[in-house]
Amino acid sequence: MKKIMGKVLLILLIFAAVASAAVIGHGYFDYISQSIFEDSTNHLDEIYSQVNRSFGAFVERNWGLLKGWRSYFDSADEESVKSFIDGEQEYWGFSEFYFLSKDETAMTFSGVERSMTLGNRWQSLIKDGEPIMAGENLESGQEVTVFAVPVESGAYLGFEYDAIAVSYNNADLASSLNVDAFSGKARSFVVDSDGSVLLSTLTGGSVFSNYLTYLKAASDISEESLSELKNDWQIGSKGLLRCKIGDVNQYILYQPVGYQDYILLSAVPESAVSAGFLSIQKMTANVLLTIFLIIGVTVIILILLRSRSQSRRDRTELQYRERMFDVLSNSVEDFFVMLDSQKLSVDYISPNVERLIGIPAADVRKDIRVLERCTVGTDITVSKDKLESIPINENYSREYEYMNLKTGERRWYRMTVYRMEIHKVGKYVIVMSDRTHEKNMNEQLTDALNAARSANEAKSNFLSNMSHDIRTPMNAIVGFSVLLEKDADQPEKVKEYTRKITASSHHLLSLINDVLDMSKIESGKTSLNVDKLSLPGLLEDLNIIIMPQAKAKNHDFRISVKGTPPEQIIGDRLRLNQILINLLSNAVKYTPQGGKIEFSVSELPSPAAQYTKLRFTVTDNGIGMSEEFQKKVFAPFSREINSVTNSIQGTGLGMAITKNLVDLMGGIITLKSEPGKGSTFNVELSFALPEPEEKEDWYRQKVSRMLVADDEEDICLNIRELMRDTGVDVSIATDGMTAVDKAVKAHNSGEGFNVILLDWKMPGTDGVETAKLIREKIGKDVPILVLTSYDWSEIEAEARDAGINAFMPKPFFASTFWQTIKPLFTETPEAEKPAEPEISVLRGRHFLIVEDNELNAEILTEMLEIDGATSELAKNGAEAVEMFKAAAPGRYDMIFMDVQMP
């Protein structure tokens, strides 16, 4: 029972809540409806009062203009009158001007006569002497509204007149009654008190001639209400009527125009009134603004008409000023324009305008807008709205780019418009000041600032990301230093490690110099140190530096020589080494594990006999580059950013340095690359050739036949070509077993080989195994060399045990070959010859060392002691000065001084 009572109570509460909400909602709806009606009523009254006042101002304006024009007719001839009316018609937009006579005839200013009844308003105009507004049907069938004022009798082209008038097409005039606040749904009319329609915003088949008749037929208005409405119109009352026309509820607002018995009538759907409340407010403001503008323009025109005689006197003075301006303007790069503030007609234009922008001054006088043809861009140079927005005695400035239409030259001008009044006549003075030089200078300063910012940012990025270019030789130095300590008791290895450390140190020093001297790199002023260099030695140094990196990533790294390039050239070894190491180290870095890298040197045709042209090619099958990045790969600090390169450190400086150095050496560098397939760099450089040296002929007596075994036939053929000039007969084999067979056959025939050169890695039987087999079958008399591009320290012990006498680096060069085998054929090895004591030029000398770094000071002291010199140490410049002053004359033979010290 309690549950049932609870449910009933809940239902009652819900019902009570719904009922309360319905009552409150209904009351609120009634309140809103009443508020909307009151607001709408006030809103309509405000809007159409504004429309009525605007229309009234339009009527008064026309009457005022007509009265003002009458005084002009008495002081001007017929031609002047015609010109004057043409100008006013173009300005004010009326369709026709008439002279009216008492006999109800009219004549246009062009001399065409016609009858004009003006409805029932003729008497008010002629007899009562009142200005009128009336409708008129022309013979063409066109409906117009006529505004007329009585004037003193006069004559024009023999036609005597007592009034003058202008007419407007009803279609044009009615558009002024449109109200935008109601989304185009409002309809406005100007009707007579009997309902006759003078103006209507309706078009097409909906047009009717009498509004009262229309209401009676189309609305639900009663006869009583219709009679009251007609009575209000006759007595000139205003009011608001709500009725239904067709299926639409409408407000009908009416109020007297104030002229004759005309009524301004507006019909607006109720839905449009409330929806357009805010837009009506805006429209009202625009209507008021339009009225004020019309009044303002009217006042200005009246002032201009009154000051016409004064302007004539001023014109003579202006002509003298123009002549003076003409003389001045021809000597400057600026030009000047003076405009009438009303018509924007040109009062003055400086004659140098044609020289500066290619438009004759006469064309500018005709229409100032011709200047727009010279403007580069879409902005309008001269706009009436812009000019009218300038306060009097103020100015407006803006810069434009102009192009001379005759020469095509482009210049920047600052247009400064001054608005002023001269004898109460509004004028615009436009000064076009040439700012081309100033703008170019500003742009150059901006570009320089941006470049400086970019350079600073790039350098900051560089300092925070140390380049692999620096780490590459540093790793070699550290690695060989470890090996040096390990093999300190083996003089040959110590010498080899020392040479490799020295080569890497020189390269590291060159990189550090370039990094610390950024201005030298960016400006391309890096100097070259040209001297004779050995191409085989250069390639060996490259192999020493790059091979450990390639081996760490399990790369197949090969160096080859194509053709017979000269072994001795004249060039900058350090810079050439830097170019090639940059390319090779990049290839290693951007090639995945197990990739392939090839470096080749080939000789190109040279235009001069004393020069050689070499092509250095670096090819890899690494990640490659996008076409877009290839365009900027040589720009400083450029790196392609993707998922692969993000994990690889680098500064983007290496390729910029490389390009800079190639350009400095007069060469070219080209690139071909495809993402995922690798890259190929070609560097082409020309080198002078040194004077030919006299060759030793000992090898002609010691070596006449040699055997070369390599699984790559091209390498064998290339070695044969390189040995052609020596007279040595080169026999080739492409595998180990063939080499063994040839060596055995030659030995058994009594024409054995003097030297056997074996590749280390060959398929099947490698170089070490091949050497063992040869030694087993022909003995130990014939020198056997291993040719390899790998570090032979790993197999040296095994190779020596197999009977291998020496190792040669790839690629093969004749000079390297002779240097390698010469000790093998010399009866007394050079190492066993007693060394002649060297007498150092430093022995017995005494030096003053000024160095704050203890490590550097210790190194220099030890190096001097090696050559028999003694030294003293000063830790800074002040201490050095005191030691020098206290020393006896001649105590120090030289002073070594650090540049930067505390």
Side-chain angles (χ1 to χ4, degrees), residues 6 13 16 24 49 72 197 222 231-232 288 299 308 313 360 376 388 625 662 742 815 871:
L13 289 173
I24 295 172
S49 293
Y72 179 77
V197 177
S222 64
N231 184 61
D232 283 348
L288 289 174
V299 171
R308 189 180 184 86
R313 290 194 296 270
V376 178
E388 290 181 348
M625 305 176 211
V662 171
K742 286 192 174 186
S815 59
S871 62

Side-chain angles (χ1 to χ4, degrees), residues 102-280:
K102 294 179 180 180
D103 59 358
E104 297 189 6
T105 59
M107 185 182 77
T108 66
F109 71 89
S110 60
V112 178
E113 294 188 27
R114 64 179 299 275
S115 61
M116 184 171 288
T117 61
L118 300 181
N120 57 358
R121 305 297 181 185
W122 190 267
Q123 182 174 347
S124 298
L125 174 66
I126 300 301
K127 293 184 178 182
D128 299 339
E130 297 177 355
I132 66 167
M133 175 180 64
E136 183 72 18
N137 291 325
L138 302 180
E139 294 175 356
S140 63
Q142 187 179 32
E143 294 182 353
V144 299
T145 299
V146 178
F147 297 89
V149 297
V151 296
E152 294 181 8
S153 299
Y156 178 74
L157 297 179
F159 182 82
E160 295 182 357
Y161 60 87
D162 300 284
I164 57 176
V166 292
S167 65
Y168 292 83
N169 292 334
N170 280 2
D172 298 334
L173 194 58
S175 63
S176 64
L177 303 178
N178 284 327
V179 177
D180 295 333
F182 306 112
S183 304
K185 298 179 180 180
R187 298 292 181 263
S188 300
F189 309 86
V190 176
V191 302
D192 210 339
S193 59
D194 60 358
S196 300
V197 177
L198 175 65
L199 293 174
S200 170
T201 59
L202 292 175
T203 59
S206 59
V207 177
F208 46 82
S209 61
N210 191 290
Y211 199 79
L212 291 175
T213 303
Y214 167 72
L215 282 180
K216 185 175 181 180
S219 71
D220 63 351
I221 190 171
S222 64
E223 288 290 342
E224 183 180 356
S225 298
L226 192 62
S227 178
E228 291 177 0
L229 179 63
K230 185 175 183 180
N231 184 61
D232 283 348
W233 288 3
Q234 290 176 349
I235 64 176
S237 296
K238 71 175 184 177
L240 178 68
L241 177 67
R242 298 178 72 182
C243 66
K244 193 171 187 179
I245 301 178
D247 296 329
V248 181
N249 292 322
Q250 299 204 20
Y251 289 110
I252 299 178
L253 180 72
Y254 55 89
Q255 51 186 300
V257 173
Y259 305 104
Q260 288 93 43
D261 298 328
Y262 289 117
I263 303 296
L264 174 63
L265 180 69
S266 302
V268 188
E270 288 186 12
S271 59
V273 173
S274 56
F277 186 77
L278 293 177
S279 60
I280 291 176

Side-chain angles (χ1 to χ4, degrees), residues 360-396:
D363 292 349
V364 182
R365 283 186 177 274
K366 291 179 182 179
D367 189 352
I368 185 66
R369 289 175 297 182
V370 299
L371 293 178
E372 298 174 14
R373 289 158 43 194
C374 300
T375 309
V376 178
T378 58
D379 287 341
I380 299 176
T381 307
V382 180
S383 168
K384 186 176 182 180
D385 293 337
K386 288 182 181 178
L387 296 178
E388 290 181 348
S389 66
I390 304 172
I392 296 177
N393 296 325
E394 297 292 335
N395 64 77
Y396 161 84

